[in-house]
Amino acid sequence: MAAIESLRGGGGGFIFGQPGIDGVEEEEEDSPAILLSVVAQHGQIGLCFFDSKDSTLNYMRDTPDDHELHLLARVIQEVSPHVIITSAKQERCMTRFLQQLGSNPDYKPEVVTYPYVDFGLEVGKERQNVLPSSCISFDSPLMLRAVGALLKCLDRRRVGVELEDSSVGVPILQFNAYTLKGVVCIDRDTYSVLQIFKSELHPSVYKLHSGEKEGLSLYGILNRCRCKFGSKLLRQWFMRPTQDLAVLQRRQEVIRFFTSPRNSDALNTLQSSLRNIRNIPTLLRRMSLSHTKVTDWQCLYKTVYNAVCIRDTVRHLPQSIHLFRDISEGLSDDLHHIATLISRVVDFETSIPENRFTIKPDVDPAIDVKKRRMMGLSDFLTDVARRELEHLDARIPSCCVIYIPLIGFLLSVPRLPSMAEKEDFEIEGLDFMFLSEDRLHYRSQKTKELDDLLGDLHCDIRDMETAVMTQLQNAVLERSASLYKVLDLTAELDCLMALSSASQEYGYTSPKLSSHRKISITQGRHPLLELCSPVFVANSFQSSESHSRVKVITGPNSSGKSIYLKHAELCSGKWLVRNQSPVGLIVFMALIGSDVPAKEADIGLLDGIFTRMQSRESVSVGLSTFMIDLNQMAHAINSSSGNSLVLIDEFGKGTNTVDGLSLLAASISHWLRKPQGEVPHVLLATNFHSLLQLGLLPSSGLLSLLEGICQSSYAANIAKLAGLPASLVQRGVEVSEMYRTGRVIKRIDKASSDEQADRCRTVVEAFLSLDLEDRDLDLQHFMKEDLLPSAGDLLNRS
């Protein structure tokens, strides 16, 4: 509900006039329309929207969202669509969201539901075949399904081309990746190349088919969360880094508090309580459906009890910290009331062995009376059976009165040898009921009186306890808002304590965040590499607002140029690349509110991190590797601003040297010719040394070129280190030198110089063995058939 309330009125809310409302008519017949298509499934949403004003289709990749769809509410608040397209088959959270949206008197968009088949993945891909290649990535299935449904709606409604011939399609002039305001734009390739997430198969053979585990990644080393929802929220923070300085400062002050050693006791106490916070939405959903189990009541009691412990602990911490104050005020006394109710009503000692809901004594007097009767029933029925035996046939040695739920009281007697057929079961004064395990069960006049007097005690008790459980469920559901607050606040607390634990262990520092346009990192370290490498060189990085915004890095093969994009050390006026530099990772960590691996860091708030460093697998997307590289570069050029960070590695190597060098030089020149305030922070690593040697880049104070430009790639040395055969490497050096000096490159087919020497020796020995004084010697035949062919073959191979 909170997500929807943010859309409501107040301060000029989103109000769209309808024809004839309040006597106001539309001034323009063809007013711009925004159509939004959305799919929500398994905790993620995929959406896209079409703006008829500029014929633009905007799409947002599949993104995690919570059960109240707060992210979707933010999108609707920013986009203000006139039409919302969704599937007729949708999850409960989406249905509830649309119902709440319909209750908003100030904003009532048209909601269009299409059959589920129109949101099919394959259908969506087929509809997108009409679009230009590579406009939309195929790695977000929910977004693809939403795009397919949107294209169908546009085709049906003829948006913008209502008066045109039916053969004229709806024009889509541009495709844009949509990012929420205040959220840093980071695409899937950037997440992959910076190793922010990394999924691996589970090492246990028993869990190979159950899913994946997090490998060595930034998320993997920072996720110290104690509860499932803390881990889920932390992943959302990683997926949506923010530019909101207030949010980042709110997170920093909590991390700063818990990284202090004197607050370690409070940290340990809170983390032990967080382990018992369970899945509150699932518990409340089961309660609303009356599907509650005994274990659910146990989990709810533990959750509420530990939430109260967390609140009481936090109330003793400084209330000047915003999160602590929110927990102290937000976790209300309703939690104590719920815990007290459950503790007073539910008898867990009895409920667990019986696997059903039972209540404690003194909760309901009527139930207590029936339970006392039930407890004394055994002795009473023994007396009744003794009296019944006196009136039975003398051949019957014994009998007993038993109680069976739903059937009532019955007289049970052993089966006699003479009772072979069913007709033999009849006993005067008794009504035969059934035979079970050689015992005959009858209903007598006395058992009928017991049924009338005592009734079905067991079922009565269960029904009455179920009624009490329903009342308890209703009391809990009435306070569900307090429970959802527990989930939100404890998840945030769990995330921040996890980040503070990692900061303490790895020696991170709190970065300075501000709205300026510079990045300053002193002795930065790579958070992953320092865990794997025994030797690590800390490096610094500077990029100011007015100069040194574009940095070009050249160097030998395998010297770590690519790695610098993620570290470089300035030594004696030359770039000596040592290890991976976490420029991208440090900036990313700062934008989620975490401490960073550096001595000092001053980070300006960025609006995006773009990379052209890694070529994704290209078979599934139907594009060449070079085309994928171009798409990544185009995305960086078109989407980056003066507040963006761009990391480029070896762009242009997928085509011939001249074309690749030209594209690279043109791309860098494009940024350098922009106004000063529009040039992003650019780090470029390349083996195109001609880029600098030929002066292909324009002179600019925004370009940082340091002394010590590399003149050679030292490829042969690296090839030897990699284990290539020495003869192969030597031939490569020879060909390279011939090419560089303009000499003709001769082909060789010999296996080795030793083999050639052996062949020459064989020819010479054959000639020397001739007896020239022999009159029968046919010297001409020898020269023609043996010597000349062998010599010619050797000359051709030279």
Side-chain angles (χ1 to χ4, degrees), residues 289-341:
L289 299 174
S290 296
H291 293 167
T292 317
K293 302 177 181 178
V294 176
T295 52
D296 294 332
W297 287 107
Q298 271 189 308
C299 291
L300 181 62
Y301 179 72
K302 286 183 178 180
T303 298
V304 176
Y305 176 81
N306 283 278
V308 173
C309 293
I310 291 172
R311 181 198 65 184
D312 294 343
T313 302
V314 168
R315 283 181 174 175
H316 292 88
L317 302 180
Q319 298 303 296
S320 57
I321 297 178
H322 291 81
L323 179 59
F324 294 166
R325 185 166 64 250
D326 290 346
I327 292 176
S328 300
E329 298 172 357
L331 302 188
S332 63
D333 292 335
D334 286 344
L335 300 177
H336 186 269
H337 180 73
I338 293 173
T340 303
L341 275 179

Side-chain angles (χ1 to χ4, degrees), residues 531-603:
L531 302 181
C532 308
S533 175
V535 179
F536 188 88
V537 179
N539 298 286
S540 302
F541 175 81
Q542 302 287 333
S543 183
S544 68
E545 296 191 27
S546 58
H547 63 279
S548 191
R549 304 276 292 183
V550 180
K551 292 178 172 58
V552 180
I553 308 166
T554 64
N557 290 112
S558 192
S559 63
K561 300 183 301 299
S562 317
I563 300 180
Y564 172 75
L565 305 188
K566 299 182 209 177
H567 206 175
E569 178 181 11
L570 184 61
C571 179
S572 301
K574 297 182 180 181
W575 286 108
L576 298 181
V577 180
R578 300 293 189 189
N579 288 314
Q580 283 197 343
S581 168
V583 176
L585 281 175
I586 285 179
V587 170
F588 177 85
M589 293 172 70
L591 295 177
I592 64 171
S594 169
D595 286 353
V596 298
K599 183 178 180 181
E600 292 179 359
D602 188 355
I603 309 295

Side-chain angles (χ1 to χ4, degrees), residues 22 58 73 105 167 231 280 303 362 499 502 667 722:
D22 297 332
N58 301 268
S167 61
S231 299
I280 292 176
T303 298
D362 302 326
L499 294 177
S667 300

Side-chain angles (χ1 to χ4, degrees), residues 339-498:
T340 303
L341 275 179
I342 296 175
S343 177
R344 289 180 179 176
V345 173
V346 185
D347 187 353
F348 288 113
E349 292 183 1
T350 308
S351 298
I352 293 173
E354 294 188 12
N355 195 25
R356 67 179 185 86
F357 182 90
T358 59
I359 66 173
K360 289 183 176 180
D362 302 326
V363 174
D364 188 328
I367 296 178
D368 293 342
V369 171
K370 289 185 177 292
K371 283 188 174 181
R372 283 194 292 269
R373 287 181 181 177
M374 196 76 176
M375 293 173 63
L377 200 58
S378 178
D379 295 338
F380 175 69
L381 294 181
T382 301
D383 294 337
V384 173
R386 189 181 300 113
R387 289 194 297 269
E388 286 288 295
L389 184 62
E390 296 174 357
H391 300 89
L392 295 178
D393 192 322
R395 293 177 300 168
I396 299 176
S398 63
C399 73
C400 63
V401 177
I402 62 173
Y403 168 75
I404 301 177
L406 300 178
I407 295 178
F409 294 92
L410 297 176
L411 181 66
S412 176
V413 299
R415 182 178 181 178
L416 300 177
S418 60
M419 296 178 175
E421 302 295 335
K422 186 175 180 180
E423 291 77 10
D424 301 331
F425 296 163
E426 299 295 334
I427 299 177
E428 185 179 356
L430 301 179
D431 298 330
F432 174 73
M433 299 300 292
F434 59 87
L435 171 67
S436 175
E437 297 180 354
D438 281 340
R439 292 192 70 86
L440 304 173
H441 296 80
Y442 297 89
R443 194 184 296 277
S444 66
Q445 183 62 35
K446 192 63 177 178
T447 59
K448 293 178 182 178
E449 293 176 1
L450 290 176
D451 288 338
D452 296 335
L453 176 64
L454 300 178
D456 197 343
L457 277 178
H458 186 269
C459 291
D460 288 346
I461 292 172
R462 294 193 65 169
D463 290 344
M464 295 174 73
E465 287 184 328
T466 301
V468 172
M469 183 186 73
T470 303
Q471 295 178 13
L472 182 59
Q473 285 179 168
N474 293 335
V476 172
L477 291 173
E478 287 175 358
R479 297 166 174 81
S480 59
S482 299
L483 293 174
Y484 280 121
K485 235 174 216 182
V486 169
L487 188 64
D488 295 337
L489 293 173
T490 54
E492 183 180 0
L493 179 65
D494 195 13
C495 290
L496 296 176
M497 288 196 296

Side-chain angles (χ1 to χ4, degrees), residues 770 777-789:
L770 295 175
L777 175 65
D778 189 350
L779 185 61
Q780 186 176 3
H781 180 271
F782 174 78
M783 296 289 291
K784 182 178 180 181
E785 299 297 332
D786 296 334
L787 182 59
L788 292 180

